Amino acid sequence: PAQNVSVEVDFDATGPRIEPEVQGHFAEHLGRGIYEGVWVGEDSAIPNTDGFRTDVLVALQQLEIPVVRWPGGCFADEYDWRDGIGPRAERPVRLNTHWGWVIEDNAFGTHEFLNYSEALGAKPYVAGNMGSLPAVEMARWMEYMTGDLPTDLAEMRRANGRDEPWDVPYFGIGNESWGCGGNMQPSYSADLHRRYSTFVKAPPGKSIVKVATGANVDDYNFTETLMREARHTMDAISIHYYTFPGSWEDKGPATGFGRDQWASTLSHALRMDELVTNHVAIMDKHDPEGRVDLYVDEWGTWYDSEPGSTPGFLYQQNSLRDALVVGLTMNVFHDHTRRVKMANIAQMVNVLQASILTDGEEMLLTPTYHALDMYRPFRGAVPLQAEVDTPRYVEGEYDLPLVDVSVARGEDGKLIVSLINLSPDTPARVATNLEGTASGRIITGPELDTHNTFDNPERITPAPYAARSRGGELVFDLPAKSLVVVTID
Ligand code: AHR
């Protein structure tokens, strides 16, 4: 039988709006994320538009993604932007030492990324190299991309085919400086941030958000040190948090898991709330006026790579469980709109919690894509507080709410509601104080790991969903393991 849940929305208790950029993406030179996933080149047999594979381009255009972070990740701190400009045949061939020790031929560089962002209608977020290049190179890269006066670098850009300067609204000063970005101590990283960010400048009349590379997971000392020592030279600070069903050493498979790993994954995803809360508390101490934003610029599920896939390519399947992780994580971000102004799911295509998977010329949309698509109405909406009275879903050591809810008022005045039933087998009946007609979409499946394959690419897709009205108030019947997003007329 269905378990009863009640939701009481407080229509007056609003927070700052949900920035569209919390639905951002991250695309690194890693595995088949860029090469094959985004870029196949003009001579490829795979249908392409100026070298960008057309099927993926169109699917991402339909998602209207707000922002993309590139080129890494760990790759960012070994990347020399000069390798990726000019005639492709003359670009140097390098090694990608982090991700599989494979050839990086630099076919996809600055022009390709910024043109791709424009084609997607997404804002570019460029991550600079603080780990292994001098500071002047960050300044030069910015000038190359955004310079409008006839300097040598701007002329070089023009000679390479781009007349108009690009807009680069976000620039990352390094990546994971505590690890692959240079194995730095927090105070050294704070000093380097101060130094490098000094030289990153937008042309007059343009603005640039400078993002300090921040903490891993719960390394609060890192946030504390950077906020104490470098806050005046940053506009945002990042944190990275990945969801493993198990541990870093023994992550667990993307499919074929049991109820224990279903519950551990959802529980670990919900830990985002604790992490954001604690990092924000440190930021509040040093920056009570709230000038510095928090960007969760890498997040998502990280499983064992698919058996038989290339080591270091981080290729994993994506199932109903991932759709619920998207929902739970977005709902956490909706609770923290005061500081969390951007988040970037890792990664866009073929890597970790990907929205799209490809296999040669085939492509499929994952449950993650569909969940992000369902969340689009929340962009720019103002979150409302909701009191949720829910039974628990208990699985071994994991004690979770049966139902997770987020409510917001969209820019058009309509209410948007997301509801997640975390239980693998128990339906929920959610009574609310909401009125009107609620329609939207639901994503669910017969198995915990229902997923799309290249043989069956539409096994799991969203279906239409409508709430019913009882005594003038809306009631949502949620099947087990489901995610619903509706708007209310
Ligand atoms: O997304 C994969 C890797 O995870 C990134 O390169 C790095 O920043 C993080 O450790």
Side-chain angles (χ1 to χ4, degrees):
Q3 296 241 43
N4 289 321
V5 177
S6 79
V7 174
E8 187 88 15
V9 178
D10 181 345
F11 299 98
D12 299 324
T14 65
R17 75 173 203 151
I18 299 162
E19 293 301 327
E21 286 75 21
V22 297
Q23 296 182 21
H25 286 250
F26 168 42
E28 179 169 14
H29 287 234
L30 194 178
R32 295 182 296 116
I34 296 291
Y35 299 112
E36 183 183 315
V38 166
W39 176 261
V40 290
E42 286 132 332
D43 300 330
S44 173
I46 297 175
N48 66 85
T49 311
D50 301 329
F52 305 123
R53 62 181 296 160
T54 305
D55 52 359
V56 171
L57 173 65
V58 169
L60 290 173
Q61 282 171 332
Q62 284 165 354
L63 200 53
E64 295 183 304
I65 66 184
V67 60
V68 192
R69 175 173 181 254
W70 170 88
C74 295
F75 183 79
D77 281 294
E78 65 177 25
Y79 183 59
D80 184 342
W81 67 275
R82 290 179 193 267
D83 292 346
I85 57 170
R88 276 188 210 102
E90 292 168 25
R91 296 185 191 175
V93 174
R94 306 270 186 222
L95 272 178
N96 187 333
T97 67
H98 285 292
W99 305 118
W101 200 264
V102 293
I103 292 286
E104 163 63 63
D105 69 3
N106 283 297
F108 191 92
T110 299
H111 288 248
E112 289 76 16
F113 170 65
L114 293 173
N115 289 342
Y116 197 62
S117 301
E118 278 188 349
L120 296 178
K123 295 183 194 166
Y125 170 10
V126 173
N129 180 338
M130 182 173 83
S132 67
L133 281 183
V136 70
E137 286 304 321
M138 256 186 207
R140 298 273 194 262
W141 195 8
M142 273 301 287
E143 184 185 327
Y144 181 87
M145 295 186 286
T146 64
D148 50 358
L149 295 173
T151 63
D152 277 18
L153 286 167
E155 292 303 330
M156 198 194 293
R157 183 195 69 229
R158 293 190 180 101
N160 287 334
R162 173 73 183 202
D163 198 26
E164 284 295 298
W166 284 287
D167 230 358
V168 179
Y170 306 101
F171 197 92
I173 316 292
N175 172 76
E176 296 196 351
S177 56
W178 44 265
C180 64
N183 281 307
M184 301 171 200
Q185 307 275 9
S187 57
Y188 181 66
S189 187
D191 270 347
L192 267 200
H193 172 85
R194 292 168 62 132
R195 181 153 83 86
Y196 275 66
S197 66
T198 304
F199 303 102
V200 173
K201 297 174 188 173
K206 301 271 182 187
S207 64
I208 177 114
V209 174
K210 298 180 197 179
V211 188
T213 179
N216 191 32
V217 193
D218 56 359
D219 186 352
Y220 300 120
N221 180 43
F222 204 94
T223 300
E224 172 74 35
T225 307
L226 260 89
M227 287 302 293
R228 189 179 62 235
E229 296 174 9
R231 68 181 175 282
H232 297 299
T233 55
M234 66 176 78
D235 304 300
I237 187 169
S238 72
I239 58 166
H240 289 178
Y241 175 57
Y242 285 96
T243 296
F244 319 120
S247 60
W248 171 254
E249 294 76 23
D250 185 11
K251 298 185 182 69
T255 55
F257 51 85
R259 294 172 64 115
D260 51 342
Q261 294 208 348
W262 167 269
S264 66
T265 304
L266 301 187
S267 170
H268 295 165
L270 279 171
R271 192 176 170 216
M272 184 69 87
D273 185 54
E274 165 203 320
L275 296 170
V276 169
T277 301
N278 292 340
H279 285 288
V280 165
I282 296 165
M283 296 176 74
D284 286 347
K285 187 172 86 179
H286 294 285
D287 173 39
E289 58 286 354
R291 193 189 60 80
V292 179
D293 295 335
L294 181 63
Y295 288 0
V296 186
D297 62 14
E298 287 185 31
W299 70 271
T301 55
W302 193 326
Y303 306 127
D304 299 337
S305 293
E306 289 305 314
S309 65
T310 309
F313 276 23
L314 310 186
Y315 177 72
Q316 64 191 37
Q317 250 298 356
N318 192 291
S319 74
L320 172 62
R321 177 174 61 168
D322 294 82
L324 267 69
V325 169
V326 168
L328 294 172
T329 306
M330 286 298 146
N331 290 359
V332 169
F333 295 153
H334 297 175
D335 288 340
H336 293 279
T337 53
R338 192 168 55 83
R339 285 274 182 192
V340 178
K341 306 289 185 184
M342 188 193 290
N344 307 75
I345 189 167
Q347 297 195 6
M348 198 161 72
V349 189
N350 286 334
V351 176
L352 300 176
Q353 192 178 350
S355 291
I356 298 179
L357 301 178
T358 68
D359 181 12
E361 62 181 27
E362 293 185 281
M363 180 201 85
L364 63 79
L365 306 179
T366 66
T368 289
Y369 178 101
H370 294 303
L372 287 166
D373 193 34
M374 288 166 63
Y375 266 76
R376 282 166 53 181
F378 280 105
R379 295 180 190 177
V382 173
L384 301 178
Q385 266 176 30
E387 206 180 297
V388 182
D389 188 3
T390 173
R392 309 294 295 177
Y393 155 48
V394 178
E395 188 82 56
E397 64 186 284
Y398 300 103
D399 183 348
L400 297 156
L402 181 76
V403 169
D404 190 82
V405 177
S406 182
V407 185
R409 190 182 296 285
E411 283 170 329
D412 58 4
K414 291 183 188 172
L415 291 184
I416 309 144
V417 187
S418 80
L419 304 109
I420 302 164
N421 182 346
L422 285 74
S423 168
D425 50 19
T426 308
R429 175 159 301 159
V430 184
T432 70
N433 63 336
L434 301 169
E435 295 172 5
T437 309
S439 60
R441 288 189 290 170
I442 181 169
I443 190 161
T444 184
E447 316 291 342
L448 296 180
D449 69 346
T450 304
H451 58 278
N452 293 329
T453 62
F454 295 101
D455 291 333
N456 194 352
E458 305 216 334
R459 177 135 193 271
I460 169 164
T461 56
Y465 178 91
R468 59 194 168 83
S469 182
R470 190 177 60 189
E473 292 183 328
L474 290 170
V475 175
F476 296 79
D477 291 309
L478 301 180
K481 49 180 168 17
S482 65
L483 163 64
V484 163
V485 179
V486 295
T487 51
I488 301 182
D489 282 307

